[in-house]
Amino acid sequence: MADPSSAMMKTLNNKEPWPALLAGNLAALLSLFHLYTSFRGTLPTLQQVYVHLSFALVLIFLTRPVFGPESKFRSLRWVVDAPLVVASAAVGIYVVLNFMEISQRGAGDPSQAVIVLGIIATLIVLEGTRRILGWALPALAVIFIIYAFVGPYLPDLLAHRGFDIERLAATFYVSASGMAGTPLQVSATYVAIFVIFAAFLEVSGAGKFFIDWSYAALAWFRGGPAKVAILASSLMGTVSGSAVANTVATGTFTIPVMKRSGLHSNFAGAVEAAASSGGQIVPPVMGAAAFIMVEILGRPYSEVMVAAALPALLYYVALFFMVDFEVARQGIKGLPRNELPSAWKIFCTGWHLATPLIILILLLVVAQYTPFKAAFYAVLAVVAVSWISSSTRMGPAKLWDALKRGGNGMLEVAAACACAGITIGVLMLTGLALRLSGILIDFSGGNLFVLLVLTMAISIVLGMGLPTSAVYIVLAALVVPAMTTLGVDPLAAHMFVFYFGVMANVTPPVAIAAYAGAAIAKGDATKTGFIAFRLALSGFLLPFIWVYNPSLLLQGDTVEVITTMVGAVVGVIALSAAVQGYLFRAHATWYQRILLGVGAIALIKPGLTSDLLGAGLIAAAILSRFVFGAPAVAQRQTEEGA
């Protein structure tokens, strides 16, 4: 006889257990809340933030149980999770109902309720972040909380007067420098509406259109399936803003096709990981960190978007030629053209799905709408254009599905921003943020290049365990002030730490996106990570160059920008040839690779002298290829990743 309690765990349509159904409907309501506030205007800051955070925490505890389905304690799940769900709702409801009193009293004169709820909010944010993102970010926050208590007992360099639990709880809970600070404010406004936009695009079929059209247009070129992965992942990544999610979403299709074309499993997984990671740096949608950057810098999003355009182009040009030279070296051909669908027919049947992205760009750049308002109208555009074709039409079921996906897509960013707010709260309260800037400058000896290398290393190490947005938030507070003190343009400094937070996804030994690609390709995770690092090498050089010359960020006069663009494109192609050891249908010799590599770096670096030097070295490599010849290209290698 069936257990009556198990029957009640099913929905009315017998498809989902009730927690999943409840979570799905709450996720849809969260999306509706953000659509409403993006159109009518946001609530007062504390209210907006805590509606967003409370919904996110409730959803996390509903969808990520403390005990997994295989645990022998799974029957006790609700003993732990039910109080957490209630507490998550309570910390938000209290702020929404009492925000006027809270705003007037501030963190310096908290009520007893604020102190108690502040402690509860801190604990559930730490636990919620652990469940959805792992231990790294909560552990960092706990270290800083301990630091806030033990300040009086530390050496002078790190010492402070110390803070009691009441002050910390209030600061974390209701202060603009705590969990409700800039990162979570951005998550509750800009990020939320862009996540909803991405969800609507996905449900409308735009993602499938990007992949299908890329496949039809490029698969017949040599190594075409790998180039399909690059184009499709760049298109998908600019919308999704997540390297791992993009690797899984597009890699499920592209990686098996790459393997069938003759590419080794490790290389196929690496191509997808490198291409998907770059999606976070492609305008118009660049992931959560870009919107946080806008708030911290106080500059229009269109300016950040324009500055990111050339580096993103260079990254993908370099990746394209890295792959092209590798498949040429291996002798891998494209797929027979007569076996491929017509790219024109696919475009004609699905072109309308790409128009919301164009509308978004026009609203941001031409009409100068705020990202908040532009994304709202872009969501409406997705729904409108979906009705052009019966195959993409978004009826009530699809609309509700898009709303649910949008709400669930906010969880990681909301948790990361709230948890990072704890760390920032301690940094601001203790004054460590200001002192750390001086410490870094002293440690680097006032040498900008040394400081940049240190910043790169810190970014990558943090990025191994944290999402890009969390890496950026922490380093924007800790390191960027030191960079600007040494004369770096603020936009260039912020873009520097943002890029290396992204590049951490393909940096061994913990290359998360590469691991995801290796899992799909059934390859070796370590080897895949090193190949992805090699393919993404331009992403590790470009940030250093724009720090010294911001014309790479399209800052400066027109002639300088055009010269920089041409030189940089030639430079990254030469860099690809040097790394892959391929030059005009032949293997490049060791000295040709050196000439190409040094020349590439000189060309990528803006400036007339460096451009002339770079052009000369590259020309010498090419000339030596035709004067002295070069080893013939070997036959296809079957174990590229070995």
Side-chain angles (χ1 to χ4, degrees):
M1 185 175 181
D3 180 2
S5 64
S6 65
M8 293 182 65
M9 294 290 287
K10 302 293 181 180
T11 65
L12 293 176
N13 59 9
N14 294 318
K15 288 184 178 179
E16 291 181 296
W18 70 265
L21 180 65
L22 175 61
N25 290 332
L26 287 175
L29 290 175
L30 177 58
S31 291
L32 286 172
F33 165 76
H34 284 295
L35 285 169
Y36 176 80
T37 56
S38 67
F39 177 68
R40 298 289 296 179
T42 60
L43 303 177
T45 301
L46 274 178
Q47 287 184 319
Q48 180 80 17
V49 162
Y50 271 99
V51 171
H52 177 72
L53 180 59
S54 283
F55 262 103
L57 290 171
V58 167
L59 287 168
I60 288 171
F61 293 125
L62 283 174
T63 57
R64 274 80 173 176
V66 64
F67 301 119
E70 304 301 322
S71 173
K72 62 182 179 180
F73 301 110
R74 62 185 180 278
S75 61
L76 299 176
R77 173 198 171 175
W78 292 109
V79 175
V80 177
D81 286 347
L84 292 175
V85 169
V86 173
S88 298
V91 296
I93 291 171
Y94 180 83
V95 171
V96 170
L97 296 179
N98 299 278
F99 80 98
M100 287 295 294
E101 179 190 349
I102 293 170
S103 299
Q104 291 171 0
R105 299 183 67 161
D109 180 29
S111 65
Q112 194 63 35
V114 165
I115 294 171
V116 173
L117 288 172
I119 295 171
I120 294 172
T122 302
L123 293 174
I124 60 176
V125 163
L126 292 171
E127 172 60 10
T129 307
R130 182 197 67 80
R131 291 199 190 182
I132 197 167
L133 293 174
W135 285 99
L137 189 55
L140 181 66
V142 169
I143 290 171
F144 274 90
I145 291 172
I146 294 171
Y147 171 70
F149 285 117
V150 302
Y153 311 104
L154 295 174
D156 290 343
L157 191 64
L158 298 173
H160 59 84
R161 64 185 180 86
F163 297 90
D164 56 34
I165 193 169
E166 290 83 3
R167 180 63 186 277
L168 288 176
T171 298
F172 295 156
Y173 188 34
V174 298
S175 170
S177 60
M179 291 188 294
T182 297
L184 193 59
Q185 291 172 25
V186 173
S187 176
T189 51
Y190 301 131
V191 174
I193 191 64
F194 273 92
V195 168
I196 295 169
F197 173 59
F200 271 72
L201 273 181
E202 181 183 357
V203 172
S204 73
K208 183 178 184 301
F209 165 70
F210 291 152
I211 294 175
D212 290 348
W213 181 78
S214 301
Y215 181 72
L218 295 179
W220 61 276
F221 286 97
R222 68 183 181 193
K227 294 169 183 176
V228 170
I230 294 171
L231 180 58
S233 297
S234 65
L235 293 172
M236 288 289 288
T238 186
V239 175
S240 72
S242 169
V244 176
N246 193 17
T247 300
V248 173
T250 56
T252 303
F253 167 78
T254 60
I255 289 174
V257 179
M258 281 190 274
K259 290 175 66 176
R260 286 199 298 271
S261 73
L263 287 170
H264 189 274
S265 300
N266 297 337
F267 191 82
V271 170
E272 181 57 52
S276 295
S277 296
Q280 291 184 84
I281 61 178
V282 180
V285 186
M286 300 160 55
F291 300 108
I292 299 170
M293 187 191 307
V294 167
E295 285 296 302
I296 295 175
L297 278 171
R299 298 189 185 183
Y301 182 70
S302 57
E303 184 177 341
V304 174
M305 189 173 71
V306 169
L310 181 55
L313 172 66
L314 295 173
Y315 178 86
Y316 276 102
V317 167
L319 182 57
F320 185 91
F321 280 97
M322 286 274 193
V323 169
D324 185 64
F325 293 154
E326 178 60 29
V327 297
R329 192 172 66 83
Q330 295 192 44
I332 294 176
K333 307 297 183 183
L335 301 180
R337 200 163 185 176
N338 59 2
E339 296 179 8
L340 297 174
S342 168
W344 176 247
K345 287 183 179 179
I346 292 175
F347 177 78
C348 288
T349 58
W351 62 269
H352 58 287
L353 296 173
T355 54
L357 278 173
I358 299 171
I359 292 171
L360 177 63
I361 294 171
L362 291 175
L363 291 176
L364 286 170
V365 178
V366 179
Q368 294 289 303
Y369 277 40
T370 64
F372 202 46
K373 192 66 71 177
F376 172 77
Y377 286 117
V379 170
L380 297 185
V382 174
V383 178
V385 302
S386 75
W387 282 75
I388 292 176
S389 170
S390 59
S391 63
T392 61
R393 194 166 297 154
M394 297 183 71
K398 282 190 174 181
L399 289 173
W400 197 249
D401 183 37
L403 291 170
K404 289 194 292 186
R405 294 190 190 200
N408 285 318
M410 301 174 202
L411 304 187
E412 289 190 7
V413 177
C417 290
C419 196
I422 295 173
T423 300
I424 293 173
V426 175
L427 287 170
M428 297 297 109
L429 204 58
T430 61
L432 180 62
L434 296 175
R435 278 180 287 158
L436 191 60
S437 177
I439 292 169
L440 287 171
I441 292 173
D442 291 342
F443 191 77
S444 65
N447 185 295
L448 177 58
F449 181 77
V450 175
L451 179 62
L452 293 178
V453 173
L454 286 173
T455 303
M456 177 188 72
I458 295 170
S459 301
I460 290 172
V461 170
L462 286 177
M464 290 176 182
L466 306 179
T468 302
S469 54
V471 175
Y472 171 74
I473 293 166
V474 172
L475 292 181
L478 292 179
V479 182
V480 167
M483 296 173 67
T484 55
T485 299
L486 292 183
V488 179
D489 176 78
L491 177 58
H494 283 270
M495 289 287 288
F496 186 93
V497 297
F498 170 50
Y499 254 60
F500 280 113
V502 172
M503 289 300 103
N505 288 289
V506 289
T507 306
V510 185
I512 303 298
Y515 288 179
I520 298 171
K522 296 180 172 58
D524 182 280
T526 301
K527 291 179 180 178
T528 300
F530 279 102
I531 296 171
F533 173 80
R534 187 181 79 205
L535 294 175
L537 189 60
S538 64
F540 293 87
L541 297 178
L542 294 172
F544 285 90
I545 293 167
W546 74 55
V547 164
Y548 289 100
N549 194 328
S551 61
L552 202 62
L553 300 178
L554 302 183
Q555 310 287 307
D557 62 75
T558 304
V559 174
E560 183 182 12
V561 167
I562 293 174
T563 304
T564 297
M565 186 182 303
V566 173
V569 168
V570 175
V572 295
I573 295 173
L575 177 67
S576 301
V579 171
Q580 298 296 66
Y582 181 83
L583 183 64
F584 290 104
R585 300 185 179 181
H587 284 303
T589 62
W590 64 269
Y591 64 85
Q592 288 169 345
R593 296 177 75 170
I594 292 175
L595 290 172
L596 288 169
V598 176
I601 294 172
L603 260 183
I604 296 171
K605 180 183 182 301
L608 179 60
T609 302
S610 61
D611 284 352
L612 292 175
L613 174 63
L617 292 173
I618 293 171
I622 295 172
L623 183 64
S624 69
R625 157 72 180 87
F626 291 103
V627 172
F628 302 110
V633 173
Q635 294 299 312
R636 181 183 303 185
Q637 300 173 6
T638 58
E639 290 297 322
E640 196 310 305

PDB file of all heavy atoms in Angstrom, residues 431-457:
ATOM      1  N   GLY A 431      38.614  49.679   8.491  1.00  0.00           N
ATOM      2  CA  GLY A 431      39.570  50.528   7.779  1.00  0.00           C
ATOM      3  C   GLY A 431      40.644  49.751   7.049  1.00  0.00           C
ATOM      4  O   GLY A 431      41.591  50.337   6.521  1.00  0.00           O
ATOM      5  N   LEU A 432      40.499  48.414   6.980  1.00  0.00           N
ATOM      6  CA  LEU A 432      41.524  47.599   6.329  1.00  0.00           C
ATOM      7  C   LEU A 432      41.626  47.895   4.842  1.00  0.00           C
ATOM      8  O   LEU A 432      42.710  47.824   4.269  1.00  0.00           O
ATOM      9  CB  LEU A 432      41.221  46.110   6.547  1.00  0.00           C
ATOM     10  CG  LEU A 432      42.221  45.125   5.928  1.00  0.00           C
ATOM     11  CD1 LEU A 432      43.608  45.307   6.534  1.00  0.00           C
ATOM     12  CD2 LEU A 432      41.748  43.680   6.120  1.00  0.00           C
ATOM     13  N   ALA A 433      40.504  48.239   4.207  1.00  0.00           N
ATOM     14  CA  ALA A 433      40.526  48.504   2.768  1.00  0.00           C
ATOM     15  C   ALA A 433      41.500  49.626   2.435  1.00  0.00           C
ATOM     16  O   ALA A 433      42.272  49.534   1.469  1.00  0.00           O
ATOM     17  CB  ALA A 433      39.119  48.848   2.278  1.00  0.00           C
ATOM     18  N   LEU A 434      41.483  50.694   3.240  1.00  0.00           N
ATOM     19  CA  LEU A 434      42.390  51.819   2.983  1.00  0.00           C
ATOM     20  C   LEU A 434      43.837  51.437   3.270  1.00  0.00           C
ATOM     21  O   LEU A 434      44.751  51.781   2.517  1.00  0.00           O
ATOM     22  CB  LEU A 434      41.979  53.022   3.833  1.00  0.00           C
ATOM     23  CG  LEU A 434      40.595  53.615   3.523  1.00  0.00           C
ATOM     24  CD1 LEU A 434      40.264  54.714   4.523  1.00  0.00           C
ATOM     25  CD2 LEU A 434      40.557  54.161   2.102  1.00  0.00           C
ATOM     26  N   ARG A 435      44.052  50.706   4.354  1.00  0.00           N
ATOM     27  CA  ARG A 435      45.417  50.321   4.709  1.00  0.00           C
ATOM     28  C   ARG A 435      45.987  49.300   3.735  1.00  0.00           C
ATOM     29  O   ARG A 435      47.183  49.308   3.445  1.00  0.00           O
ATOM     30  CB  ARG A 435      45.453  49.766   6.132  1.00  0.00           C
ATOM     31  CG  ARG A 435      45.496  50.858   7.204  1.00  0.00           C
ATOM     32  CD  ARG A 435      45.538  50.260   8.590  1.00  0.00           C
ATOM     33  NE  ARG A 435      44.225  49.701   8.942  1.00  0.00           N
ATOM     34  CZ  ARG A 435      44.056  48.768   9.868  1.00  0.00           C
ATOM     35  NH1 ARG A 435      45.087  48.267  10.502  1.00  0.00           N
ATOM     36  NH2 ARG A 435      42.842  48.324  10.144  1.00  0.00           N
ATOM     37  N   LEU A 436      45.125  48.413   3.230  1.00  0.00           N
ATOM     38  CA  LEU A 436      45.614  47.380   2.334  1.00  0.00           C
ATOM     39  C   LEU A 436      46.148  47.971   1.048  1.00  0.00           C
ATOM     40  O   LEU A 436      47.108  47.456   0.466  1.00  0.00           O
ATOM     41  CB  LEU A 436      44.488  46.380   2.024  1.00  0.00           C
ATOM     42  CG  LEU A 436      44.921  45.109   1.306  1.00  0.00           C
ATOM     43  CD1 LEU A 436      45.931  44.342   2.143  1.00  0.00           C
ATOM     44  CD2 LEU A 436      43.722  44.222   1.013  1.00  0.00           C
ATOM     45  N   SER A 437      45.545  49.052   0.591  1.00  0.00           N
ATOM     46  CA  SER A 437      46.045  49.720  -0.606  1.00  0.00           C
ATOM     47  C   SER A 437      47.494  50.158  -0.406  1.00  0.00           C
ATOM     48  O   SER A 437      48.350  49.929  -1.256  1.00  0.00           O
ATOM     49  CB  SER A 437      45.165  50.927  -0.928  1.00  0.00           C
ATOM     50  OG  SER A 437      45.667  51.626  -2.039  1.00  0.00           O
ATOM     51  N   GLY A 438      47.764  50.759   0.756  1.00  0.00           N
ATOM     52  CA  GLY A 438      49.138  51.164   1.056  1.00  0.00           C
ATOM     53  C   GLY A 438      50.074  49.980   1.208  1.00  0.00           C
ATOM     54  O   GLY A 438      51.231  50.026   0.782  1.00  0.00           O
ATOM     55  N   ILE A 439      49.563  48.885   1.808  1.00  0.00           N
ATOM     56  CA  ILE A 439      50.378  47.682   1.981  1.00  0.00           C
ATOM     57  C   ILE A 439      50.792  47.115   0.628  1.00  0.00           C
ATOM     58  O   ILE A 439      51.952  46.736   0.410  1.00  0.00           O
ATOM     59  CB  ILE A 439      49.596  46.625   2.793  1.00  0.00           C
ATOM     60  CG1 ILE A 439      49.401  47.098   4.241  1.00  0.00           C
ATOM     61  CG2 ILE A 439      50.323  45.278   2.783  1.00  0.00           C
ATOM     62  CD1 ILE A 439      48.436  46.251   5.039  1.00  0.00           C
ATOM     63  N   LEU A 440      49.853  47.053  -0.305  1.00  0.00           N
ATOM     64  CA  LEU A 440      50.151  46.519  -1.634  1.00  0.00           C
ATOM     65  C   LEU A 440      51.157  47.390  -2.376  1.00  0.00           C
ATOM     66  O   LEU A 440      52.057  46.887  -3.058  1.00  0.00           O
ATOM     67  CB  LEU A 440      48.862  46.398  -2.455  1.00  0.00           C
ATOM     68  CG  LEU A 440      47.915  45.266  -2.053  1.00  0.00           C
ATOM     69  CD1 LEU A 440      46.584  45.393  -2.776  1.00  0.00           C
ATOM     70  CD2 LEU A 440      48.560  43.913  -2.361  1.00  0.00           C
ATOM     71  N   ILE A 441      50.984  48.698  -2.252  1.00  0.00           N
ATOM     72  CA  ILE A 441      51.936  49.607  -2.912  1.00  0.00           C
ATOM     73  C   ILE A 441      53.321  49.436  -2.323  1.00  0.00           C
ATOM     74  O   ILE A 441      54.328  49.379  -3.047  1.00  0.00           O
ATOM     75  CB  ILE A 441      51.449  51.069  -2.788  1.00  0.00           C
ATOM     76  CG1 ILE A 441      50.171  51.263  -3.614  1.00  0.00           C
ATOM     77  CG2 ILE A 441      52.541  52.033  -3.251  1.00  0.00           C
ATOM     78  CD1 ILE A 441      49.526  52.611  -3.426  1.00  0.00           C
ATOM     79  N   ASP A 442      53.407  49.327  -0.996  1.00  0.00           N
ATOM     80  CA  ASP A 442      54.713  49.117  -0.352  1.00  0.00           C
ATOM     81  C   ASP A 442      55.313  47.782  -0.773  1.00  0.00           C
ATOM     82  O   ASP A 442      56.519  47.684  -1.049  1.00  0.00           O
ATOM     83  CB  ASP A 442      54.560  49.160   1.176  1.00  0.00           C
ATOM     84  CG  ASP A 442      54.235  50.553   1.684  1.00  0.00           C
ATOM     85  OD1 ASP A 442      54.467  51.521   0.939  1.00  0.00           O
ATOM     86  OD2 ASP A 442      53.737  50.661   2.828  1.00  0.00           O
ATOM     87  N   PHE A 443      54.480  46.748  -0.825  1.00  0.00           N
ATOM     88  CA  PHE A 443      54.971  45.419  -1.182  1.00  0.00           C
ATOM     89  C   PHE A 443      55.502  45.384  -2.612  1.00  0.00           C
ATOM     90  O   PHE A 443      56.466  44.671  -2.918  1.00  0.00           O
ATOM     91  CB  PHE A 443      53.851  44.389  -1.013  1.00  0.00           C
ATOM     92  CG  PHE A 443      54.316  42.965  -1.091  1.00  0.00           C
ATOM     93  CD1 PHE A 443      54.958  42.367  -0.018  1.00  0.00           C
ATOM     94  CD2 PHE A 443      54.126  42.215  -2.246  1.00  0.00           C
ATOM     95  CE1 PHE A 443      55.396  41.049  -0.085  1.00  0.00           C
ATOM     96  CE2 PHE A 443      54.552  40.902  -2.328  1.00  0.00           C
ATOM     97  CZ  PHE A 443      55.193  40.317  -1.243  1.00  0.00           C
ATOM     98  N   SER A 444      54.857  46.154  -3.489  1.00  0.00           N
ATOM     99  CA  SER A 444      55.300  46.197  -4.882  1.00  0.00           C
ATOM    100  C   SER A 444      56.438  47.178  -5.099  1.00  0.00           C
ATOM    101  O   SER A 444      56.964  47.284  -6.217  1.00  0.00           O
ATOM    102  CB  SER A 444      54.127  46.580  -5.785  1.00  0.00           C
ATOM    103  OG  SER A 444      53.694  47.905  -5.509  1.00  0.00           O
ATOM    104  N   GLY A 445      56.801  47.874  -4.046  1.00  0.00           N
ATOM    105  CA  GLY A 445      57.872  48.858  -4.179  1.00  0.00           C
ATOM    106  C   GLY A 445      57.477  50.051  -5.019  1.00  0.00           C
ATOM    107  O   GLY A 445      58.334  50.750  -5.568  1.00  0.00           O
ATOM    108  N   GLY A 446      56.180  50.284  -5.142  1.00  0.00           N
ATOM    109  CA  GLY A 446      55.713  51.388  -5.973  1.00  0.00           C
ATOM    110  C   GLY A 446      55.836  51.119  -7.460  1.00  0.00           C
ATOM    111  O   GLY A 446      55.621  52.020  -8.276  1.00  0.00           O
ATOM    112  N   ASN A 447      56.164  49.871  -7.823  1.00  0.00           N
ATOM    113  CA  ASN A 447      56.313  49.497  -9.230  1.00  0.00           C
ATOM    114  C   ASN A 447      54.972  49.001  -9.760  1.00  0.00           C
ATOM    115  O   ASN A 447      54.424  48.021  -9.271  1.00  0.00           O
ATOM    116  CB  ASN A 447      57.387  48.410  -9.371  1.00  0.00           C
ATOM    117  CG  ASN A 447      57.672  48.062 -10.818  1.00  0.00           C
ATOM    118  OD1 ASN A 447      56.810  47.553 -11.516  1.00  0.00           O
ATOM    119  ND2 ASN A 447      58.894  48.332 -11.258  1.00  0.00           N
ATOM    120  N   LEU A 448      54.445  49.688 -10.777  1.00  0.00           N
ATOM    121  CA  LEU A 448      53.120  49.352 -11.289  1.00  0.00           C
ATOM    122  C   LEU A 448      53.071  47.940 -11.861  1.00  0.00           C
ATOM    123  O   LEU A 448      52.112  47.202 -11.622  1.00  0.00           O
ATOM    124  CB  LEU A 448      52.695  50.367 -12.359  1.00  0.00           C
ATOM    125  CG  LEU A 448      51.341  50.098 -13.029  1.00  0.00           C
ATOM    126  CD1 LEU A 448      50.215  50.055 -11.998  1.00  0.00           C
ATOM    127  CD2 LEU A 448      51.053  51.162 -14.086  1.00  0.00           C
ATOM    128  N   PHE A 449      54.101  47.547 -12.602  1.00  0.00           N
ATOM    129  CA  PHE A 449      54.082  46.220 -13.219  1.00  0.00           C
ATOM    130  C   PHE A 449      54.033  45.124 -12.152  1.00  0.00           C
ATOM    131  O   PHE A 449      53.281  44.144 -12.289  1.00  0.00           O
ATOM    132  CB  PHE A 449      55.299  46.025 -14.113  1.00  0.00           C
ATOM    133  CG  PHE A 449      55.320  44.683 -14.798  1.00  0.00           C
ATOM    134  CD1 PHE A 449      54.503  44.440 -15.889  1.00  0.00           C
ATOM    135  CD2 PHE A 449      56.143  43.665 -14.339  1.00  0.00           C
ATOM    136  CE1 PHE A 449      54.505  43.200 -16.511  1.00  0.00           C
ATOM    137  CE2 PHE A 449      56.155  42.419 -14.955  1.00  0.00           C
ATOM    138  CZ  PHE A 449      55.337  42.191 -16.051  1.00  0.00           C
ATOM    139  N   VAL A 450      54.799  45.296 -11.088  1.00  0.00           N
ATOM    140  CA  VAL A 450      54.786  44.304 -10.001  1.00  0.00           C
ATOM    141  C   VAL A 450      53.403  44.252  -9.367  1.00  0.00           C
ATOM    142  O   VAL A 450      52.870  43.172  -9.077  1.00  0.00           O
ATOM    143  CB  VAL A 450      55.862  44.643  -8.946  1.00  0.00           C
ATOM    144  CG1 VAL A 450      55.760  43.690  -7.752  1.00  0.00           C
ATOM    145  CG2 VAL A 450      57.255  44.562  -9.564  1.00  0.00           C
ATOM    146  N   LEU A 451      52.788  45.427  -9.166  1.00  0.00           N
ATOM    147  CA  LEU A 451      51.441  45.463  -8.592  1.00  0.00           C
ATOM    148  C   LEU A 451      50.439  44.760  -9.507  1.00  0.00           C
ATOM    149  O   LEU A 451      49.555  44.035  -9.038  1.00  0.00           O
ATOM    150  CB  LEU A 451      51.012  46.910  -8.350  1.00  0.00           C
ATOM    151  CG  LEU A 451      49.598  47.110  -7.779  1.00  0.00           C
ATOM    152  CD1 LEU A 451      49.478  46.452  -6.412  1.00  0.00           C
ATOM    153  CD2 LEU A 451      49.252  48.590  -7.697  1.00  0.00           C
ATOM    154  N   LEU A 452      50.582  44.940 -10.815  1.00  0.00           N
ATOM    155  CA  LEU A 452      49.675  44.292 -11.766  1.00  0.00           C
ATOM    156  C   LEU A 452      49.823  42.774 -11.714  1.00  0.00           C
ATOM    157  O   LEU A 452      48.828  42.040 -11.767  1.00  0.00           O
ATOM    158  CB  LEU A 452      49.945  44.796 -13.185  1.00  0.00           C
ATOM    159  CG  LEU A 452      49.619  46.266 -13.462  1.00  0.00           C
ATOM    160  CD1 LEU A 452      49.990  46.624 -14.898  1.00  0.00           C
ATOM    161  CD2 LEU A 452      48.151  46.559 -13.204  1.00  0.00           C
ATOM    162  N   VAL A 453      51.052  42.305 -11.617  1.00  0.00           N
ATOM    163  CA  VAL A 453      51.283  40.856 -11.528  1.00  0.00           C
ATOM    164  C   VAL A 453      50.668  40.307 -10.238  1.00  0.00           C
ATOM    165  O   VAL A 453      50.033  39.246 -10.240  1.00  0.00           O
ATOM    166  CB  VAL A 453      52.780  40.534 -11.602  1.00  0.00           C
ATOM    167  CG1 VAL A 453      53.035  39.053 -11.328  1.00  0.00           C
ATOM    168  CG2 VAL A 453      53.338  40.903 -12.977  1.00  0.00           C
ATOM    169  N   LEU A 454      50.853  41.035  -9.127  1.00  0.00           N
ATOM    170  CA  LEU A 454      50.251  40.614  -7.857  1.00  0.00           C
ATOM    171  C   LEU A 454      48.725  40.572  -7.973  1.00  0.00           C
ATOM    172  O   LEU A 454      48.072  39.624  -7.512  1.00  0.00           O
ATOM    173  CB  LEU A 454      50.655  41.581  -6.740  1.00  0.00           C
ATOM    174  CG  LEU A 454      52.083  41.489  -6.220  1.00  0.00           C
ATOM    175  CD1 LEU A 454      52.351  42.639  -5.247  1.00  0.00           C
ATOM    176  CD2 LEU A 454      52.310  40.152  -5.513  1.00  0.00           C
ATOM    177  N   THR A 455      48.162  41.604  -8.599  1.00  0.00           N
ATOM    178  CA  THR A 455      46.716  41.669  -8.771  1.00  0.00           C
ATOM    179  C   THR A 455      46.222  40.509  -9.625  1.00  0.00           C
ATOM    180  O   THR A 455      45.193  39.888  -9.314  1.00  0.00           O
ATOM    181  CB  THR A 455      46.326  43.007  -9.426  1.00  0.00           C
ATOM    182  OG1 THR A 455      46.812  44.082  -8.627  1.00  0.00           O
ATOM    183  CG2 THR A 455      44.811  43.117  -9.560  1.00  0.00           C
ATOM    184  N   MET A 456      46.921  40.220 -10.700  1.00  0.00           N
ATOM    185  CA  MET A 456      46.557  39.086 -11.557  1.00  0.00           C
ATOM    186  C   MET A 456      46.558  37.792 -10.748  1.00  0.00           C
ATOM    187  O   MET A 456      45.605  36.998 -10.836  1.00  0.00           O
ATOM    188  CB  MET A 456      47.532  38.964 -12.728  1.00  0.00           C
ATOM    189  CG  MET A 456      47.271  37.759 -13.621  1.00  0.00           C
ATOM    190  SD  MET A 456      48.556  37.484 -14.874  1.00  0.00           S
ATOM    191  CE  MET A 456      49.903  36.895 -13.825  1.00  0.00           C
ATOM    192  N   ALA A 457      47.610  37.589  -9.970  1.00  0.00           N
ATOM    193  CA  ALA A 457      47.711  36.357  -9.183  1.00  0.00           C
ATOM    194  C   ALA A 457      46.573  36.253  -8.168  1.00  0.00           C
ATOM    195  O   ALA A 457      45.946  35.190  -8.014  1.00  0.00           O
ATOM    196  CB  ALA A 457      49.061  36.304  -8.472  1.00  0.00           C
TER     197      ALA A 457
END
